[in-house]
Amino acid sequence: MRVVMFGYQTWGHRTLAALLGSEHEVVLAVTHPRSDHAYEKIWDDSVADLAQAHGVPTVIRNRPDDDLLRTLKDLAPDLIVANNWRTWIPPEFLALPRRGILNVHDSLLPAYAGFSPLIWALINGEKEVGVTAHMMNAELDAGDIVVQRAIPVGPRDTTTDLFHRTVDLIAPIVTEALSLIASGRTDWTPQDRSKASFFHKRAEEDGNIDWTWPAEDIERLVRAQSDPYPNAFTYYRGRRIRILSASVSQGVYGGTPGRVFIREGAGVVIVAGAEARRGRSHGLVIERVRTDDDTDLPATEVFTTMGGYLSRHP
């Protein structure tokens, strides 16, 4: 098959590498320009560099336009393969390749369509994450499923751990999907739209800890915002403190959410949970933090006296 690839960052890079290693002809790579967005500077292997190293013509666009449509018509691809393409693809592009557009998405669709699915899934305590290859239609991440693979989420996994394990699924999934499509199969599995969920892009404010959340949820937020992602953060005595590691307390503590309460083990317990006033909630044990000058410290060196509060604002 003659294949065009739409993709960006490491997800797109891995997809293009799989296409280049296949028996199919890659006739064009389309990618986005580099971005200064905090989340787009992470895992930013260049699709353009890989394409050019293999002599594949490359187009850089923020979004598909008429010039690109004309180029694709001239190339007459059998299939477009997309991964981490960040903008809407118009209907005239969907109808152009005779075998359609295969999109690769790092969630177990129909759940976690949209952006940052691994982070959202970890925050929400999902037991599995994965990668789905599906045929694209006019609704984002909603087309019929061609191949889907899942991996378990461990109790101490970070988003960084999950990224490395899911990105390794891309090549085998793309290879299998291409083989199925090339064989002429079209009997794909429709998504159950009653189970669909759609999430927005992560922004810095999404890492701002809400101490009325249960400690279990905050602990997952800390793991979800592991390095190199922007860390979960809070404010203490007017200064922003990023939380690098934390755990749920052994003890049950009552009081006002955000209170710097007591030492436990090697860390300091912060009262957490909307029901904390009833004395029925575990706290969050903060173990290691990073200050705004990028100094990493044990929490006990920052919270040297008990009392005071952590909050969402300076």
Side-chain angles (χ1 to χ4, degrees):
M1 294 186 294
R2 290 169 58 81
V3 180
V4 169
M5 186 269 176
F6 278 51
Y8 184 48
Q9 296 177 282
T10 300
W11 297 269
H13 188 279
R14 290 291 187 98
T15 302
L16 179 57
L19 294 174
L20 291 168
S22 75
E23 62 184 0
H24 305 286
E25 181 185 7
V26 183
V27 296
L28 183 71
V30 185
T31 190
H32 296 303
R34 288 188 181 271
S35 169
D36 288 331
H37 188 284
Y39 285 85
E40 294 187 11
K41 292 191 290 186
I42 305 169
W43 319 127
D44 63 346
D45 294 301
S46 171
V47 169
D49 289 352
L50 180 62
Q52 290 161 11
H54 287 81
V56 176
T58 306
V59 172
I60 298 176
R61 291 285 190 280
N62 280 312
R63 55 186 49 81
D65 57 19
D66 290 342
D67 284 344
L68 180 56
L69 183 62
R70 285 190 289 269
T71 298
L72 292 179
K73 286 179 177 178
D74 290 341
L75 290 171
D78 298 300
L79 180 72
I80 293 174
V81 179
N83 192 345
N84 198 36
W85 183 258
R86 313 289 280 184
T87 58
W88 180 61
I89 297 179
E92 55 267 32
F93 285 79
L94 297 177
L96 195 151
R98 67 187 185 94
R99 295 188 185 272
I101 299 182
L102 178 76
N103 185 55
V104 183
H105 181 72
D106 54 338
S107 84
L108 296 175
L109 293 174
Y112 296 95
F115 299 90
S116 304
L118 293 178
I119 295 177
W120 290 112
L122 182 52
I123 290 170
N124 291 329
E126 300 293 349
K127 301 302 182 185
E128 290 184 321
V129 295
V131 176
T132 303
H134 68 97
M135 301 310 299
M136 189 177 286
N137 60 21
E139 186 177 352
L140 185 64
D141 295 333
D144 293 353
I145 294 171
V146 178
V147 180
Q148 186 174 82
R149 296 286 181 271
I151 60 167
V153 178
R156 296 296 295 171
D157 276 341
T158 66
T159 299
T160 306
D161 297 325
L162 299 179
F163 164 79
H164 287 297
R165 283 153 52 198
T166 54
V167 81
D168 284 345
L169 295 175
I170 291 173
I173 284 175
V174 168
T175 301
E176 182 178 352
L178 287 176
S179 178
L180 293 171
I181 292 167
S183 75
R185 276 189 57 180
T186 58
D187 55 333
W188 316 127
T189 304
Q191 294 189 36
D192 181 351
R193 302 309 295 159
S194 69
K195 297 179 180 179
S197 55
F198 184 87
F199 286 81
H200 63 74
K201 289 182 181 180
R202 298 288 295 179
E204 183 177 11
E205 182 60 22
D206 297 313
N208 193 344
I209 296 171
D210 182 344
W211 293 101
T212 66
W213 283 18
E216 294 82 358
D217 291 1
I218 301 173
E219 187 271 339
R220 289 196 302 268
L221 174 64
V222 170
R223 286 190 283 122
Q225 298 291 160
S226 59
D227 288 340
Y229 296 94
N231 304 124
F233 66 93
T234 190
Y235 290 93
Y236 177 60
R237 296 178 176 172
R239 295 189 304 155
R240 189 170 73 158
I241 302 292
R242 287 176 278 175
I243 311 303
L244 301 183
S245 64
S247 58
V248 178
S249 70
Q250 294 295 314
V252 175
Y253 300 99
T256 300
R259 175 79 173 191
V260 180
F261 191 15
I262 194 171
R263 290 192 178 189
E264 184 180 286
V268 176
V269 174
I270 311 302
V271 177
E275 294 295 302
R277 69 185 186 280
R278 302 184 189 278
R280 299 172 186 169
S281 300
H282 290 274
L284 185 80
V285 181
I286 298 180
E287 297 155 350
R288 196 158 186 84
V289 304
R290 178 174 295 152
T291 59
D292 262 354
D293 62 359
D294 287 329
T295 301
D296 294 0
L297 296 168
T300 52
E301 291 187 17
V302 174
F303 308 114
T304 54
T305 59
M306 300 302 101
Y309 293 85
L310 305 186
S311 67
R312 292 176 58 84
H313 304 285

